[in-house]
Amino acid sequence: MAKKNIKEMSFLDHLEELRWLLVRSTIAILVCAVVAFFFSDFIFSEIIFGPKSPDFVTYQFFCELGKQFDMADTMCITEINLPIQNREMGGQFSMHMWTSITVGFILSFPFVLWEIWKFISPALYDNEKKYAISFIIVSSILFFVGVLFGYYLIAPLSVQFFASYILSPEISNAIDIDSYVSLMKTSAIASGLLFELPIIIYFLTKIGLVNPTFLRKYRKYTLVIVLIVAAIITPPDVISQVIVTIPIMILYEVSILISAIVVKNQEKEKLKA
């Protein structure tokens, strides 16, 4: 069995490595944020405020889907009444800055992953280190797919639901820019990180915190939680709830498969020892 190539480092040495990881990652995020800062018109008009328009691609998709099931009246959106306001003197500038940083984080995510890999690689076996490029590519793809999933599915469904929710005719909606953009950021980034579930399960299995038996045992509870979340963030129809639930459960099943493979490989290594 190949032995781990672990450098003899003190606790302070590890802290120093972690510090430089954070420094390099922060610089990468800020560089990408500067680029995003100069494309604010496109980012806000076309991307962030895109789900406010009834012509947004997600709404059109659900409308066409509704027509196939004779549900066009409930699934076709003709108007979204969602006025956005700013109530702070420096609110728009602050929003410009923080949104640029958020975009910078998304764009620099592969580099951040590379830095994380370099930090943990000394604790890996020699035959595992050769998968560095695969790890970066797969993790980055999962993250970007998750961001797109959150932006094109969770965010517009949430926007449409909250914009149409009426507690009383006496109450009018005038949404703060912070609240709206926070919804968009959370939907995109949280989904991106959620799609990293197979990678997370891989490492948790490697260190013995989870195993395929544990994941299979709690599969039904996971399904219930996902269905509840889907029911909250989607319109009140079964089709849209299923569309949100299916990708997440597929990720969970893939995670179980990955965990099983890791455990199987660990057992083989023990037999060789």
Side-chain angles (χ1 to χ4, degrees):
M1 181 178 69
K3 293 184 178 180
K4 293 182 180 180
N5 181 22
I6 302 178
K7 298 169 63 178
E8 293 296 331
M9 299 173 63
S10 67
F11 177 72
L12 292 179
D13 290 332
H14 284 292
L15 285 181
E16 181 67 12
E17 287 294 319
L18 179 60
R19 184 177 75 88
W20 279 108
L21 180 156
L22 296 175
V23 168
R24 289 190 293 267
S25 298
T26 301
I27 292 174
I29 292 172
L30 292 178
V31 169
C32 292
V34 170
V35 175
F37 185 88
F38 292 102
F39 287 89
S40 61
D41 288 343
F42 174 79
I43 291 173
F44 278 89
S45 300
E46 301 297 329
I47 299 179
I48 293 179
F49 292 138
K52 285 178 75 275
S53 170
D55 296 328
F56 191 65
V57 61
T58 303
Y59 304 138
Q60 295 301 312
F61 169 78
F62 276 101
C63 183
E64 293 299 323
L65 193 64
K67 292 177 181 178
Q68 300 297 322
F69 293 90
D70 296 324
M71 300 173 61
D73 292 341
T74 58
M75 297 187 67
C76 287
I77 299 172
T78 58
E79 181 182 7
I80 298 180
N81 183 23
L82 195 68
I84 304 296
Q85 66 175 355
N86 170 53
R87 298 187 300 165
E88 298 181 6
M89 183 65 69
Q92 295 197 49
F93 177 76
S94 177
M95 181 56 58
H96 189 179
M97 295 291 293
W98 282 109
T99 300
S100 297
I101 292 174
T102 301
V103 175
F105 170 76
I106 294 174
L107 294 178
S108 64
F109 191 76
F111 179 82
V112 175
L113 283 177
W114 173 249
E115 289 294 325
I116 294 175
W117 178 268
K118 289 196 301 181
F119 182 73
I120 65 175
S121 60
L124 300 176
Y125 290 105
D126 291 336
N127 63 334
E128 293 172 330
K129 294 180 181 180
K130 63 183 180 181
Y131 296 114
I133 301 300
S134 299
F135 167 77
I136 302 301
I137 293 175
V138 173
S139 299
S140 298
I141 290 175
L142 287 173
F143 177 75
F144 289 129
V145 170
V147 169
L148 293 176
F149 178 80
Y151 174 73
Y152 282 106
L153 195 61
I154 296 180
L157 292 178
S158 300
V159 168
Q160 189 274 332
F161 173 78
F162 291 120
S164 61
Y165 189 88
I166 299 176
L167 181 61
S168 169
E170 300 296 323
I171 304 174
S172 61
N173 282 334
I175 310 301
D176 283 347
I177 181 65
D178 285 345
S179 178
Y180 177 83
V181 175
S182 176
L183 172 64
M184 300 299 297
K185 290 179 181 178
T186 302
S187 299
I189 295 181
S191 295
L193 297 178
L194 176 63
F195 270 56
E196 294 293 312
L197 180 63
I199 305 298
I200 295 172
I201 292 298
Y202 170 82
F203 284 105
L204 290 180
T205 305
K206 290 285 292 183
I207 62 178
L209 289 181
V210 299
N211 56 57
T213 302
F214 173 86
L215 296 173
R216 293 189 186 103
K217 178 180 178 181
Y218 289 96
R219 178 192 283 123
K220 58 184 178 181
Y221 301 108
T222 303
L223 177 59
V224 171
I225 294 173
V226 171
L227 286 172
I228 292 174
V229 173
I232 293 174
I233 67 175
T234 61
D237 63 85
V238 176
I239 296 176
S240 56
Q241 292 169 12
V242 170
I243 290 175
V244 171
T245 301
I246 288 177
I248 299 176
M249 292 309 301
I250 290 176
L251 280 174
Y252 191 80
E253 294 300 323
V254 171
S255 299
I256 294 176
L257 178 61
I258 291 174
S259 181
I261 293 173
V262 171
V263 171
K264 184 178 179 180
N265 290 337
Q266 288 177 335
E267 291 175 351
K268 288 182 179 179
E269 293 292 341
K270 290 180 180 179
L271 292 175
K272 292 180 181 179

